[in-house]
Amino acid sequence: QVQLVESGGGLVQPGGSLRLSCAASGRTFFSLNDMGWYRQAPGKERELVAAITGDGSTKYADSVKGRFTISRDNAKKTAYLQMNSLKPEDTAVYYCSAQAVAAPLYYTMDYWGKGTLVTVSS
């Protein structure tokens, strides 16, 4: 099993910045494939914010292009989401996701963190 733990959320003013981290860990060997950040605001469906493949290819939701940057450190098995020029509409619970193969399994499964709250408000 792979555990994902998000950190870095909090309260920030419009125009401010936050950096979210997602650290993966497990008691057995595991290999991370694609990783991503999702968010869910009250009354809305969960949406993909940004995704990154194992070799570093990225994609973003139109609403965050030019403001957010996803990255990963494979040695640390950690993904990041740098959020700049934050807007009130960015307020949501942000979830980290990862596709991984974890011993003793030999196939890919999806894993999710518990989420971290980002509130953008004056």
Side-chain angles (χ1 to χ4, degrees):
Q1 185 178 359
V2 176
Q3 293 78 47
L4 303 177
V5 179
E6 303 99 334
S7 62
L11 175 64
V12 65
Q13 293 184 335
S17 298
L18 283 176
R19 177 181 164 93
L20 305 183
S21 297
C22 172
S25 63
R27 297 190 65 183
T28 63
F29 169 84
F30 67 95
S31 179
L32 296 170
N33 298 321
D34 294 353
M35 301 185 74
W37 289 94
Y38 291 73
R39 68 185 181 188
Q40 187 166 25
K44 296 185 178 180
E45 296 293 319
R46 185 174 299 189
E47 64 172 339
L48 176 67
V49 176
I52 185 167
T53 65
D55 64 355
S57 296
T58 60
K59 65 178 181 181
Y60 300 90
D62 289 341
S63 60
V64 307
K65 286 182 179 178
R67 300 188 298 120
F68 291 11
T69 302
I70 188 171
S71 61
R72 64 191 291 164
D73 185 329
N74 290 332
K76 296 181 178 180
K77 295 189 175 181
T78 300
Y80 306 92
L81 184 67
Q82 178 67 46
M83 305 185 294
N84 299 326
S85 302
L86 284 163
K87 304 175 181 179
E89 49 264 45
D90 294 319
T91 296
V93 176
Y94 284 71
Y95 298 90
C96 178
S97 70
Q99 295 180 327
V101 176
L105 304 178
Y106 53 87
Y107 50 86
T108 300
M109 293 186 65
D110 295 332
Y111 297 90
W112 292 86
K114 294 181 179 180
T116 184
L117 178 63
V118 172
T119 302
V120 185
S121 176
S122 299

